[in-house]
Amino acid sequence: MNHIQALQQFEALIQAPTPDALHAQLTDVVQNLGFEHYLCGLSANLNLPDPKVFALNGVSQAWWDHYQTRSCLAVDPTVRMLLREQRVIPLPWWDIRCINPSEKQFMGEAVDHGLNSGVSFSLNARHEVGVFSLILKHQPRQLRRHVSHAIPLGNLLAAYVQEAARRLMDNQGNPGSKLTRREKECLLWAASGKTAWESSVILNISERTVVFHLTNAARKLGVSNRRQAIARAIVEGLIRP
Amino acid sequence: MNHIQALQQFEALIQAPTPDALHAQLTDVVQNLGFEHYLCGLSANLNLPDPKVFALNGVSQAWWDHYQTRSCLAVDPTVRMLLREQRVIPLPWWDIRCINPSEKQFMGEAVDHGLNSGVSFSLNARHEVGVFSLILKHQPRQLRRHVSHAIPLGNLLAAYVQEAARRLMDNQGNPGSKLTRREKECLLWAASGKTAWESSVILNISERTVVFHLTNAARKLGVSNRRQAIARAIVEGLIRP
DNA sequence: CGTCAACCTGTAAGAACGGACAGCTTATCC
DNA sequence: GGATAAGCTGTCCGTTCTTACAGGTTGACG
């Protein structure tokens, strides 16, 4: 498959109307790249009680169930290196260094489930993070050559998958707009260290009204006080101090 | 240049000890990809009073001066589409749609300075954003074919440049370490809505000590109260609620 | 052994917050 | 015209924060 054809196939991904359609197209693309499976986990507003999680599963159901029920996110070394350590360049699996027995065990279990080798890419945007992996079930003759050759297009594919996933997620409703303009303004000034009285002077409204908006904002954000509301609004990208 | 060679050249970039060395290597890599210039702007902690900005300039000094003195960030359509609109897939310049006269004028000025065509890539990580562009001074015979062909490796190159830039920035001093472990812990619980008393129970220290750490953290962050300290710590990536 | 940094603790007074009470205006939509 | 949503305003009271005062402990380093 040459580059131009691949690009056209990638462009088609972001038009996918449903996750199922995306999965079908992606399975095809991944096989054209010389891989058997893929795995995509994307989370907007990570570490929140209600993260929007988008997962596409191109591997065996057994492995996926195992991953979820055992909360393998904490022991998955690709997640650690790409998300927590913020590695932005591709991660071929032979570069993975396990830092504790749990990670080692996890990788062993992956091999047992047929995830023999592969390469993982980091998905990053302002308020979302994720991992996209291309996976080989069987080890080919020249593993490193095979994988390395696919890295440039794989890296590009990761970006397209992220774009496609976001479009699908956006269609499912946008909680960012749940705050009114005033509520965001009050939160913004509160995040800048202003008291309710100071904000009232700035916004030319009464102190009581500032308190009113902050209270409402906190309620909408599902938290119980002002500090937490500020933290949540920043993490969700609703305000930019 | 085949993929494997390119990958080796990319790997070498992240070892660059200084911005000048990176620039020299990058100039070579970019020309191998068939482009004349590059432009890289990366900003950590955007929208803060003291953002860490990293810029590498592979274009004419005149254009760079013009870009900076006229604060073209606000009218650069690549910045709008890649950063504000969060487009994560590559942006060939023929896909740029100017949405106002200022942007149109900006693109005209770019052409006047010899930035004829190119492709821009988005650089994204949790607390940094940027744009990396590959630029053609002269329009080749088959422009679209030429640029499209370079997109996969260009996209990968962008990730390596981002990684290299971060390593250089980290070497220049890391303000994230200015908070002690306890101060970050107290901030984290405060951001979760816990009062000083509640945090004291969690951390098994006295309420007074929690207040002490929060006060110190606020002072170190250059702010005057707890709310602002929480906001700043989150934006700077020191804590993750 | 002195010094330093990080950590820990206490009291007290005034300012700010949180929650509950009750009620207004304005614009939009059916 | 009635209903609804967004915005706005006031008082009261208990809780929490902020800032000031004045200390002690522990471990690393020269």
Side-chain angles (χ1 to χ4, degrees):
Chain A
M1 187 171 60
N2 71 36
H3 287 182
I4 308 296
Q5 285 176 321
L7 279 179
Q8 287 173 348
Q9 243 190 332
F10 291 179
E11 287 284 347
L13 290 176
I14 61 179
Q15 308 294 341
T18 65
D20 285 341
L22 180 58
H23 169 66
Q25 287 182 257
L26 197 48
T27 301
D28 191 36
V29 171
V30 164
Q31 286 175 359
N32 284 345
L33 278 180
F35 289 81
E36 280 125 15
H37 300 302
Y38 73 89
L39 197 49
C40 174
L42 187 62
S43 177
N45 308 326
L46 204 67
N47 292 334
L48 285 185
D50 55 345
K52 288 190 295 183
V53 174
F54 181 89
L56 270 181
N57 176 21
V59 299
S60 78
Q61 193 61 39
W63 171 249
W64 187 233
D65 290 343
H66 173 265
Y67 197 101
Q68 294 196 300
T69 57
R70 303 274 296 276
S71 59
C72 290
L73 226 57
V75 296
D76 185 341
T78 67
V79 168
R80 170 178 55 81
M81 295 178 74
L82 294 174
L83 303 189
R84 282 200 284 282
E85 295 171 10
Q86 292 273 298
R87 177 186 171 122
V88 293
I89 57 180
L91 174 66
W93 288 10
W94 60 73
D95 274 353
I96 293 174
R97 294 284 170 276
C98 295
I99 58 170
N100 59 46
S102 307
E103 288 192 357
K104 209 152 195 167
Q105 187 194 345
F106 170 83
M107 292 307 287
E109 292 166 352
V111 172
D112 293 342
H113 279 80
L115 285 69
N116 203 285
S117 192
V119 52
S120 295
F121 305 92
S122 132
L123 306 181
N124 268 299
R126 191 126 44 194
H127 301 292
E128 59 193 50
V129 292
V131 170
F132 176 73
S133 301
L134 294 172
I135 297 164
L136 287 168
K137 199 160 187 159
H138 305 291
Q139 197 145 334
R141 195 91 50 85
Q142 292 185 296
L143 172 67
R144 294 201 176 208
R145 189 187 174 81
H146 181 96
V147 172
S148 293
H149 191 262
I151 282 181
L153 277 174
N155 190 52
L156 185 59
L157 174 59
Y160 275 91
V161 170
Q162 186 182 3
E163 188 79 30
R166 187 176 33 241
R167 294 193 184 195
L168 289 176
M169 285 204 291
D170 281 351
N171 290 343
Q172 294 173 5
N174 167 19
S177 61
K178 62 188 171 189
L179 294 188
T180 67
R181 185 179 54 87
R182 275 303 208 206
E183 286 160 355
K184 286 189 216 171
E185 282 175 347
C186 292
L187 271 179
L188 190 56
W189 289 114
S192 306
K194 300 287 182 289
T195 65
W197 182 85
E198 289 168 327
S199 301
S200 78
V201 174
I202 293 168
L203 296 171
N204 198 31
I205 56 182
S206 82
E207 179 183 353
R208 176 63 188 85
T209 304
V210 174
V211 172
F212 171 76
H213 289 307
L214 288 173
T215 306
N216 288 338
R219 182 178 39 73
K220 289 183 184 178
L221 291 169
V223 299
S224 59
N225 64 46
R226 225 169 279 192
R227 293 176 298 288
Q228 215 174 346
I230 291 169
R232 182 63 69 93
I234 293 176
V235 175
E236 291 204 25
L238 304 179
I239 60 173
R240 311 217 170 144
Chain B
M1 188 171 60
N2 71 36
H3 286 182
I4 308 295
Q5 285 176 321
L7 278 179
Q8 288 172 348
Q9 242 190 331
F10 292 0
E11 287 283 348
L13 291 175
I14 61 179
Q15 308 294 341
T18 65
D20 286 342
L22 180 59
H23 169 66
Q25 288 181 258
L26 197 48
T27 303
D28 191 36
V29 171
V30 165
Q31 287 174 359
N32 283 345
L33 279 179
F35 289 81
E36 280 126 13
H37 300 302
Y38 74 89
L39 196 51
C40 173
L42 187 61
S43 177
N45 305 327
L46 207 66
N47 293 332
L48 282 188
D50 56 346
K52 286 189 296 183
V53 174
F54 181 89
L56 269 180
N57 175 22
V59 299
S60 78
Q61 194 59 39
W63 171 248
W64 188 233
D65 290 343
H66 174 264
Y67 197 101
Q68 293 196 301
T69 58
R70 304 274 294 277
S71 59
C72 290
L73 225 60
V75 296
D76 184 341
T78 68
V79 169
R80 169 178 56 80
M81 294 178 74
L82 293 174
L83 303 189
R84 282 200 284 282
E85 295 173 9
Q86 292 273 296
R87 176 186 171 124
V88 293
I89 58 180
L91 175 66
W93 288 11
W94 60 73
D95 274 353
I96 292 175
R97 295 284 170 273
C98 295
I99 58 170
N100 59 47
S102 307
E103 288 192 356
K104 208 153 194 165
Q105 187 195 342
F106 169 83
M107 290 307 287
E109 292 166 353
V111 172
D112 294 341
H113 280 79
L115 285 70
N116 202 286
S117 190
V119 53
S120 295
F121 305 91
S122 132
L123 306 181
N124 267 299
R126 192 125 45 194
H127 300 292
E128 58 191 54
V129 293
V131 171
F132 176 73
S133 301
L134 294 172
I135 297 165
L136 286 170
K137 198 159 187 158
H138 305 290
Q139 198 145 334
R141 196 89 51 83
Q142 293 184 295
L143 172 68
R144 294 200 177 209
R145 188 186 175 81
H146 182 95
V147 172
S148 294
H149 191 263
I151 281 182
L153 277 175
N155 191 50
L156 186 59
L157 175 59
Y160 275 90
V161 170
Q162 185 182 2
E163 188 78 30
R166 190 180 28 242
R167 295 193 185 195
L168 290 175
M169 284 204 289
D170 281 351
N171 289 343
Q172 293 171 6
N174 168 17
S177 62
K178 63 187 171 189
L179 295 187
T180 67
R181 184 178 55 87
R182 276 305 206 203
E183 285 160 356
K184 286 188 216 173
E185 281 176 346
C186 292
L187 271 178
L188 189 57
W189 289 114
S192 305
K194 300 286 181 289
T195 66
W197 182 84
E198 288 168 327
S199 300
S200 78
V201 174
I202 294 169
L203 297 171
N204 198 30
I205 55 181
S206 82
E207 178 182 355
R208 177 63 187 84
T209 303
V210 174
V211 172
F212 170 77
H213 289 308
L214 288 172
T215 307
N216 287 338
R219 182 179 39 73
K220 289 182 183 177
L221 291 169
V223 300
S224 59
N225 63 44
R226 225 170 280 192
R227 293 177 299 287
Q228 216 173 344
I230 291 168
R232 181 61 70 94
I234 293 176
V235 177
E236 292 205 21
L238 305 179
I239 60 174
R240 315 219 165 139

